[in-house]
């Protein structure tokens, strides 16, 4: 019999060690990818909440800045017309959908509220030609992602 001096190939032990190393490496990559996806979703939710908060703040400020409060509990808003109700009741919140309404119409479209974001704890107060608006943006799990607390002085109000 001839002895095999030049053997090419792998032993069973070498092959098992290689497979185990590949499995460990791929599991680490899978865990890292899962953490990266989770981190991306959290940062996107925060970004979308900040954008919604900014959009609402700007839009509400624009409407209130140029409105006229009448003595008969009506408010005239440019581009909308007369809205019945006291100045602190012209903007309302639908607690089910978390959307802000101006009078009886949605103030922003449904696409302005992405990923289940809702406006909560919404309030508008009116005193001496100044509106104070407060609200929070929360996600499905009721986690507060953004909030706003600002004042708007009317510049279109007639003074006696």
């Amino acid at each position: 019999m001839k002895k095999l001096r030049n053997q090419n190939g792998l032993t069973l032990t070498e092959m098992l060690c290689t497979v185990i190393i590949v499995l460990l490496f791929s599991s680490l990559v899978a865990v890292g990818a899962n953490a990266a996806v989770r981190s991306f979703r959290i940062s996107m939710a925060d970004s979308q909440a900040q954008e919604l908060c900014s959009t609402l703040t700007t839009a509400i400020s624009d409407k209130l800045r140029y409105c006229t409060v009448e003595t008969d509990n009506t408010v005239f808003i440019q581009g909308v017309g007369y809205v019945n109700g006291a100045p602190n009741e012209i903007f309302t919140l639908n607690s089910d959908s978390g959307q802000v309404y101006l009078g009886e119409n949605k103030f922003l479209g449904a696409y302005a509220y992405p990923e289940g974001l809702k406006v909560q704890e919404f309030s508008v107060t009116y005193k001496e030609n100044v509106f104070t608006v407060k609200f929070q943006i929360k996600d499905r799990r009721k986690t507060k992602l953004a909030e706003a607390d600002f004042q708007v002085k009317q510049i279109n109000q007639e003074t006696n």
Side-chain angles (χ1 to χ4, degrees), residues 98-114:
Q99 294 184 3
V100 177
Y101 282 72
L102 174 57
E104 296 186 14
N105 300 320
K106 288 183 183 178
F107 187 57
L108 297 176
Y111 290 113
Y113 301 87

Side-chain angles (χ1 to χ4, degrees), residues 2 4 16 24 26 39 42 50 55 63-64 82 88 90 98 106 115 128 130 142 149:
K2 285 185 173 183
L4 297 174
L16 287 174
L24 287 173
S26 64
S39 175
I42 290 170
Q50 290 296 328
T55 301
K63 293 297 182 193
L64 294 178
Y82 284 96
N88 58 346
I90 58 175
K106 288 183 183 178
E115 299 294 322
E128 299 175 8
V130 177
K142 309 279 189 210
D149 184 356

Side-chain angles (χ1 to χ4, degrees), residues 8 17 20 28 30 35 43 46-47 55 71 75 88 100 102 107-108 117 125 132-133 157:
N8 290 331
C17 288
I20 290 172
L28 287 174
S43 67
D46 286 342
S47 173
T55 301
T71 57
V75 179
N88 58 346
V100 177
L102 174 57
F107 187 57
L108 297 176
L117 296 179
T125 56
T132 302
V133 182
Q157 184 68 32

